[in-house]
Amino acid sequence: MNNEAMTSPHFHPHEARRMETLRSTGLLDTDPDPRLDQITKLLTDTFDVPMALFTLVDENRQWFKSRVGFEVCETLRQHSFCAHAIQQDDVFEVRDASIDERFSNNPLVTSEPFIRFYAGAQVYGRNRLPLGTLCVLDTVPRTITEKEKKLLAGMADLVTTLIDPSISPLAGSNATTNAEVLSPEAFVSKVEQSLHKEDRSQLGLGIVQLHGLKRLRKTRGFEFCERACDETVKALYKLAPGALAVTRISFNQYCIVARQYASIAHTSLNTDKLEQALHRPLTVDDIDVDIQAHMLWAQPLSGFSSSKQILSLIAELSSSCTQLPTHRRLAIYGDELLEEIHQQDVIRSDLSSALSNRDIFFRVPTQSGCGIA
């Protein structure tokens, strides 16, 4: 296949404004950010891929603000998978680039790093203009599930608010409510501090998804929608008097961490009251509105000690929240889920250490079979 067979990405319909927004962030050609590096590393572990990137699509190049498994810090825009991805509204997936006419003759496919699989979710700037993507890549063809796509999109939303908290849809709300909602960065920091200061056996973390928020935004407008979000935050603090922090991790998802009590009867954060509250309409401008709030709650956080574990838990709950049946507003996860995440973290750490110390190696298959020692 000749060079003309490769399809160069089109420019975004609002390219001039998009570029102005990108330049205004001041992110291009800046030093690595440990928070973003932590997220891309988490993606390689979660998706079991060798490469993950947070890319910014510039005028003639794509530049990597964070990268794992990718040697260079930028590539030409005409070779960029992400320049295609920013044209989309959903996760952009390429299952096998070697047989996809848009990419089969792409130098990133025909030579190092020999990309075959790509999945990218948009990271936005102000006015919902895409700056680039959070993406995962592999050297073998593969697919991802709908659940994994939602997880990737949720992590991209987290990056959106990390790089500029003012991009959060809460911007413009009243000062009182904004003070009650931390930026994702401040929230993770607060949770990490709490893990060391509080009794972890008495801490819980939850994701609240507002399934009716997108519909509400279309029918009643942005400002009404955001006032409904303000009421949601107030309701969360009323439901959980032991709340330590609340953050907004995407357009329709909040995350809360709160203290538990020795007796469930001593707190309003119990399953019966919480289930009833999630079904109860909010009153906004004297109008009763059902924003279809669903919550996934995990407790206790006994085995958690790092922000990486917290990000893993948030990602897992955020993805699972979309799977709840419409009629079920509350799901409680206990030791089983938390232990699974903890064990995954231990295995990743031990495996990395074992490989570094050459305590594990792979034997070449022979006629008598193959072995791993």
Side-chain angles (χ1 to χ4, degrees):
M1 195 174 288
N2 57 31
N3 285 335
E4 285 70 30
M6 185 180 71
T7 304
S8 295
H10 297 294
F11 286 105
H12 190 272
H14 304 289
E15 182 65 10
R17 288 177 57 214
R18 193 194 72 81
M19 284 301 307
E20 182 179 348
T21 301
L22 174 59
R23 298 281 167 77
S24 71
T25 66
L27 288 172
L28 290 168
D29 300 310
T30 54
D31 293 335
D33 185 327
R35 302 168 304 166
L36 300 172
D37 291 343
Q38 193 172 49
I39 290 174
T40 48
K41 180 60 172 68
L42 178 62
L43 285 178
T44 61
D45 293 337
T46 303
F47 286 85
D48 191 23
V49 293
M51 295 171 281
L53 304 166
F54 166 34
T55 73
L56 298 170
V57 180
D58 200 359
E59 185 176 7
N60 297 309
R61 61 172 179 158
Q62 65 169 355
W63 181 74
F64 308 139
K65 174 62 178 172
S66 178
R67 67 186 192 273
V68 175
F70 218 87
E71 294 299 324
V72 297
C73 63
E74 65 181 38
T75 66
L76 293 175
R77 179 170 175 162
Q78 68 190 72
H79 299 156
S80 169
F81 285 67
C82 299
H84 289 267
I86 63 172
Q87 313 294 329
Q88 315 298 318
D89 292 324
D90 299 317
V91 172
F92 179 63
E93 179 184 5
V94 179
R95 298 181 176 182
D96 186 352
S98 68
I99 59 174
D100 189 314
E101 64 180 12
R102 295 168 297 179
F103 304 104
S104 58
N105 211 39
N106 188 312
L108 300 176
V109 175
T110 59
S111 58
E112 291 285 352
F114 296 105
I115 295 170
R116 292 296 178 267
F117 167 79
Y118 171 93
Q122 298 74 30
V123 173
Y124 292 97
R126 293 185 179 90
N127 303 315
R128 290 293 287 177
L129 291 170
L131 306 177
T133 74
L134 187 67
C135 60
V136 291
L137 308 95
D138 207 338
T139 56
V140 295
R142 60 178 291 179
T143 62
I144 57 173
T145 65
E146 287 302 313
K147 180 179 179 180
E148 289 173 324
K149 287 182 180 180
K150 290 173 181 176
L151 190 154
L152 182 60
M155 295 302 285
D157 284 337
L158 179 59
V159 171
T160 292
T161 47
L162 276 175
I163 60 177
D164 186 348
S166 68
I167 296 173
S168 167
L170 278 177
S173 301
N174 63 69
T176 300
T177 301
N178 277 337
E180 297 172 342
V181 180
L182 300 179
S183 70
E185 176 191 6
F187 177 83
V188 172
S189 177
K190 176 69 174 178
V191 175
E192 193 168 26
Q193 291 173 18
S194 299
L195 290 175
H196 293 91
K197 293 180 179 179
E198 304 277 343
D199 179 357
R200 281 176 274 178
S201 67
Q202 300 300 319
L203 290 178
L205 184 143
I207 294 287
V208 178
Q209 176 146 326
L210 311 179
H211 284 281
L213 202 59
K214 292 182 179 179
R215 173 185 51 79
L216 188 65
R217 186 170 183 173
K218 289 180 180 179
T219 58
R220 294 194 176 272
F222 178 82
E223 291 185 0
F224 184 92
C225 178
E226 293 311 302
R227 286 196 293 276
C229 289
D230 291 347
E231 293 302 321
T232 298
V233 173
K234 293 175 184 176
L236 286 175
Y237 275 104
K238 288 179 181 178
L239 284 169
L244 297 173
V246 172
T247 189
R248 193 171 184 173
I249 60 174
S250 69
F251 172 69
N252 64 347
Q253 284 189 337
Y254 287 87
C255 187
I256 178 173
V257 64
R259 295 187 188 94
Q260 298 298 300
Y261 294 86
S263 169
I264 196 75
H266 293 163
T267 175
S268 60
L269 188 61
N270 64 64
T271 54
D272 291 337
K273 289 185 178 180
L274 194 50
E275 180 79 38
Q276 293 171 13
L278 292 169
H279 280 278
R280 191 178 303 127
L282 292 173
T283 300
V284 184
D285 298 347
D286 297 322
I287 300 172
D288 287 341
V289 178
D290 181 10
I291 55 175
Q292 300 175 33
H294 294 69
M295 174 180 272
L296 269 70
W297 186 259
Q299 63 181 44
L301 304 183
S302 301
F304 285 61
S305 60
S306 69
S307 58
K308 183 176 181 180
Q309 292 172 314
I310 291 299
L311 287 171
S312 295
L313 177 58
I314 291 173
E316 179 65 29
L317 292 177
S318 177
S319 176
S320 299
C321 206
T322 61
Q323 310 301 316
L324 274 182
T326 306
H327 66 277
R328 187 182 178 192
R329 297 294 179 97
L330 176 66
I332 305 291
Y333 292 92
D335 292 333
E336 187 174 342
L337 173 66
L338 300 173
E339 180 63 22
E340 179 182 339
I341 292 174
H342 177 63
Q343 287 302 321
Q344 289 174 359
D345 185 65
V346 170
I347 290 171
R348 283 193 293 264
S349 177
D350 289 349
L351 182 58
S352 175
S353 176
L355 289 172
S356 298
N357 297 329
R358 298 186 178 182
D359 293 332
I360 183 172
F361 64 91
F362 297 90
R363 235 186 271 158
V364 177
T366 63
Q367 288 186 345
S368 59
C370 65
I372 300 177

